[in-house]
Amino acid sequence: MKPLAGVRVLELARILAGPWAGQMLADLGADVIKVERRGAGDDTRAWGPPFVEGADGAPLAAAYYHSCNRGKRSILADFESAEDIARIKALAADADILIENFKVGGLARYGLDWPALRALNPRLIYCSITGFGQTGPYAARAGYDYLVQAMGGLMAITGEPGREPQRVGVAVADLFTGVYTAGAALAALHRRAETGEGGHVDMALLDVMTGVLANQAMNLFVSGQSPGLTGNSHPNVVPYQPFATADGLVIVATGNDRQYQRLCGVLGLPELADDPRFLTNAGRVANRDVLVALLAARTATMARDTLLAALEAQGVPAGPINSVAEAFADPQVVARGMRVELAAPHVAGGRLPQLRGPILLDGEAMVADRPPPALGQDDADWQWR
């Protein structure tokens, strides 16, 4: 039995952050009912191509939608319909967790806001996800991942010096917010076991984005200097970056002095291991340009795979820069089973590939066995099971 078996989650969320939290809870065994607007449903159903091909050859929802809605049931609601609002309230009355990402106050007009549903179900854990939170001068604004990556400082440290800042290639503000929402909901669930009372989780993409700046935030707090663009080098560790070889790039990520010394041995540069300028990481950071140039001159003469094999043999962290396709063909990724396939009779071939969640519990991968639902597929059977 999965750890969240018997936990009921009502998802009034669309796009990514809320659905990602709902999918994480579904993977852990929760019964998740996703409420979608009548008509088009979740916006991401149309966010393609590519689209998943149906058993009849017609396109189903976009791959994007299928990335974050595994394990759920789908029912439909017109929020202007008293009957549909009554159904949602009936589900909320017996839910453990509710996830919503409407604008601040957006659900109050329907009687689905936190104060109204708390009165209906005092044990409910109500998770609100917005761009900027329930309070503060930006609370009423709409927030999107791209905007929040920019406003939250991440883009200012992502990209090469002298060039335009870059966003990260996946919606990290949304994804982190989904993970934090799931964690907060489970913490509130644990507290409820002691107090009998639910609670209101207020999650903001901007809070999360600034909250995961980690060492870069501390670099600012301690030094007073705002971090900037450093490309693929690390602001605090050297050498920790790509190096060109005779036939491709490798990433070298030395995390301590011993690894650096072994790197010098592999490269046939023992004099750099003993050079007083480079004995400590602080010295290597201070003399970054000189050291990197000396190391790069040597790696440029070596074959990529030969260098990688030699570094692995000496315990120096290093690896190739894989494409997404190469990453999923990597033997380690294959061995860990990060790609799974779920039975899906409505999909061409009867199987739907999925990216499993990364949680293993007692050796069991925590991944729901039900594929993302077709729009409204459970509308006739909307009660909790």
Side-chain angles (χ1 to χ4, degrees), residues 64 98 140 143 342 356 377:
Y64 198 117
L98 183 148
L342 303 182
R356 80 161 175 86
Q377 73 173 34

Side-chain angles (χ1 to χ4, degrees), residues 70-92:
R70 176 178 59 248
K72 304 174 187 178
R73 294 186 277 154
S74 170
I75 69 170
L76 303 177
D78 177 350
F79 282 77
E80 302 304 325
S81 163
E83 181 181 356
D84 286 348
I85 293 300
R87 285 205 301 168
I88 295 173
K89 287 182 177 179
L91 289 167

Side-chain angles (χ1 to χ4, degrees), residues 28-348:
L28 291 167
D31 182 6
V32 181
I33 295 181
K34 182 180 181 70
V35 179
E36 303 189 65
R37 287 188 180 273
R38 293 191 185 277
D42 191 307
D43 298 10
T44 60
R45 288 183 179 273
W47 283 18
F51 293 91
V52 171
E53 183 182 352
D56 60 358
L60 299 174
Y64 198 117
Y65 166 81
H66 285 87
S67 74
C68 52
N69 286 289
R70 176 178 59 248
K72 304 174 187 178
R73 294 186 277 154
S74 170
I75 69 170
L76 303 177
D78 177 350
F79 282 77
E80 302 304 325
S81 163
E83 181 181 356
D84 286 348
I85 293 300
R87 285 205 301 168
I88 295 173
K89 287 182 177 179
L91 289 167
D94 291 320
D96 297 295
I97 298 168
L98 183 148
I99 302 169
E100 62 92 4
N101 66 347
F102 284 68
K103 290 183 180 179
V104 172
L107 287 174
R109 60 182 292 197
Y110 308 115
L112 298 174
D113 55 320
W114 162 237
L117 293 187
R118 175 177 54 184
L120 183 66
N121 178 4
R123 292 174 57 82
L124 180 66
I125 295 154
Y126 190 105
C127 302
S128 296
I129 298 174
T130 57
F132 301 101
Q134 301 294 305
T135 60
Y138 299 164
R141 293 188 188 181
Y144 292 90
D145 177 274
Y146 200 164
L147 176 64
V148 168
Q149 285 195 40
M151 295 180 67
L154 183 64
M155 286 182 62
I157 56 173
T158 305
E160 297 179 349
R163 302 187 68 179
E164 183 179 83
Q166 297 290 307
R167 69 176 182 88
V168 178
V170 292
V172 289
D174 277 333
L175 295 172
F176 270 120
T177 300
V179 173
Y180 272 107
T181 299
L186 295 179
L189 195 66
H190 178 76
R191 185 185 68 177
R192 191 185 75 178
E194 298 295 326
T195 66
E197 296 182 359
H200 187 200
V201 175
D202 174 6
M203 295 299 308
L205 268 67
L206 186 60
D207 291 356
V208 171
M209 190 72 271
T210 55
V212 298
L213 288 177
N215 61 295
Q216 292 283 36
M218 285 303 298
N219 289 343
L220 167 65
F221 297 162
V222 171
S223 73
Q225 301 296 313
S226 188
L229 298 172
T230 57
N232 285 319
S233 62
H234 195 290
N236 301 110
V237 184
V238 175
Y240 202 99
Q241 64 181 74
F243 286 91
T245 69
D247 58 348
L249 291 171
V250 299
I251 297 295
V252 176
T254 60
N256 56 53
D257 296 339
R258 296 182 305 280
Q259 291 173 354
Y260 165 69
Q261 290 160 4
R262 292 198 294 269
L263 169 66
C264 292
V266 168
L267 297 180
L269 298 171
E271 67 278 10
L272 296 185
D274 298 327
D275 191 310
R277 295 173 295 175
F278 311 136
L279 287 177
T280 65
N281 181 68
R284 294 191 292 275
V285 171
N287 295 283
R288 178 194 304 268
D289 292 344
V290 173
L291 176 59
V292 168
L294 293 170
L295 298 174
R298 178 65 178 126
T299 64
T301 68
M302 305 177 72
R304 189 194 76 158
D305 290 349
T306 300
L307 176 56
L308 285 174
L311 292 173
E312 181 179 356
Q314 292 300 315
V316 178
I321 300 176
N322 287 332
S323 67
V324 175
E326 288 169 336
F328 282 98
D330 186 284
Q332 181 65 20
V333 177
V334 172
R336 297 289 287 181
M338 291 305 298
R339 172 177 169 150
V340 297
E341 294 203 0
L342 303 182
H346 63 296
V347 170

